[in-house]
């Protein structure tokens, strides 16, 4: 446990020693503000709600999470420090968990820094805080599943750009699968039960239920299971 804590601190504070982290944070909030306030016109509706903001969260994560996760292992491989890391008294599993938790904490901070959006809506109206908090919980859980995929992508290469592209492509595909337009298209040549099964592998499908104020156990299990499975694959890749 102590090795996980030590590596977690090294990785977490490492984000804030790199200008890339600040670029990612500024880019995320700039894009979130643009989409929520200028595209979806968050303050123009007659309803005190953040639905117009959270509908964009899966798409924002398609960019944010690969950007935050691309360095996890690719940078260690490029710099040749991965061999040094594993000479320390730390197991591969502990290293994977520590790096994952550090990146997840960084992304969670990025998400929670949007709380001024909620306070702005609360100042202007009377929002349902249950829906807002369940949406934030869903966002952070969803980030874990995105990050598991991006950590695995980073372990597959020593090039951060390649890791970013692989992570973005897989996350984008798993987001698209939940869109109605994609389901309607698949319904033209696939049985309904196949389309339903495929759409259940989408982030979008599971996140949508949590933006309605429900802590859906199926969504929680999906997000955490995907994170655990990809982290196990991450360990296997590093050990072979």
């Amino acid at each position: 446990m102590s090795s996980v804590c030590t590596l977690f601190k090294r990785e977490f504070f490492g984000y804030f020693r790199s200008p890339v982290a600040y670029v990612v944070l500024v880019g995320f909030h700039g894009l979130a503000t643009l989409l929520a306030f200028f595209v979806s016109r968050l303050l123009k509706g007659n309803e005190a709600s953040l639905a117009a903001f959270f509908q964009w969260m899966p798409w924002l994560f398609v960019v944010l999470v690969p950007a935050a996760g691309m360095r996890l292992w690719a940078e260690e491989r490029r710099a040749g420090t991965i061999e040094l890391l594993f000479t320390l008294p730390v197991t591969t599993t502990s290293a994977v968990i520590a790096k994952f938790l550090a990146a997840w904490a960084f992304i969670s901070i990025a998400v929670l820094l949007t709380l001024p959006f909620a306070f702005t809506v609360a100042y202007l109206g009377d929002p349902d805080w249950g829906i807002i908090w369940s949406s934030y919980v869903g966002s952070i859980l969803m980030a874990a599943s995105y990050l598991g995929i991006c950590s695995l992508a980073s372990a597959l290469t020593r090039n951060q750009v390649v890791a970013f592209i692989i992570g973005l492509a897989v996350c984008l595909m798993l987001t698209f699968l939940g869109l109605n337009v994609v389901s309607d298209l698949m319904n033209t040549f696939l049985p309904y039960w196949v389309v339903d099964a495929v759409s259940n592998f989408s982030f979008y499908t599971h996140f949508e239920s949590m933006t309605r104020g429900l802590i859906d156990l199926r969504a929680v299990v999906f997000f955490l299971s995907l994170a655990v499975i990809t982290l196990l694959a991450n360990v296997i890749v590093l050990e072979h």
Side-chain angles (χ1 to χ4, degrees):
M1 182 58 76
S2 62
S3 61
V4 172
C5 291
T6 302
L7 194 52
F8 170 85
K9 291 176 185 174
R10 172 201 165 204
E11 291 297 321
F12 179 71
F13 291 111
Y15 276 102
F16 296 97
R17 287 192 290 271
S18 164
V20 175
Y22 297 98
V23 171
V24 170
L25 285 176
V26 171
F28 173 70
H29 284 86
L31 198 55
T33 302
L34 176 69
L35 293 172
F37 289 93
F38 296 98
V39 176
S40 295
R41 298 182 177 275
L42 180 66
L43 301 181
K44 295 293 184 182
N46 295 322
E47 185 181 0
S49 140
L50 283 185
F53 163 59
F54 282 112
Q55 70 173 332
W56 293 108
M57 193 62 85
W59 305 105
L60 289 167
F61 278 178
V62 165
V63 178
L64 168 71
V65 181
M70 64 183 182
R71 65 181 287 275
L72 287 175
W73 294 105
E75 177 61 18
E76 297 277 7
R77 287 186 185 279
R78 186 199 64 79
T81 54
I82 193 167
E83 291 81 7
L84 176 64
L85 175 65
F86 289 125
T87 62
L88 301 174
V90 56
T91 65
T92 306
T93 303
S94 297
V96 168
I97 291 172
K99 280 176 168 284
F100 171 81
L101 291 177
W104 194 18
F106 172 75
I107 295 167
S108 298
I109 288 173
V111 171
L112 292 176
L113 284 175
T114 63
L115 277 172
F117 292 3
F119 299 145
T120 301
V121 170
Y123 177 75
L124 297 173
D126 184 23
D128 185 330
W129 282 100
I131 292 178
I132 290 176
W133 289 123
S134 71
S135 299
Y136 272 106
V137 170
S139 298
I140 290 172
L141 289 172
M142 182 170 62
S145 55
Y146 273 85
L147 184 59
I149 291 169
C150 295
S151 179
L152 176 58
S154 183
L156 293 170
T157 177
R158 63 177 61 224
N159 187 315
Q160 291 193 44
V161 176
V162 174
F164 175 82
I165 292 171
I166 295 173
L168 184 147
V170 176
C171 291
L172 188 62
M173 182 188 69
L174 290 179
T175 304
F176 263 121
L177 289 178
L179 295 181
N180 288 333
V181 65
V182 176
S183 297
D184 291 343
L185 178 64
M186 289 192 293
N187 268 323
T188 61
F189 58 92
L190 289 174
Y192 172 79
W193 64 271
V194 174
V195 176
D196 189 50
V198 170
S199 67
N200 275 322
F201 279 98
S202 173
F203 301 121
Y204 200 86
T205 303
H206 294 282
F207 180 63
E208 195 177 29
S209 65
M210 301 191 80
T211 60
R212 294 196 295 265
L214 303 171
I215 302 296
D216 189 336
L217 184 59
R218 290 171 299 179
V220 174
V221 170
F222 172 78
F223 291 140
L224 295 182
S225 298
L226 186 55
V228 170
I229 291 169
T230 48
L231 289 179
L232 288 173
N234 198 154
V235 171
I236 293 171
V237 168
L238 290 172
E239 290 185 340
H240 295 82

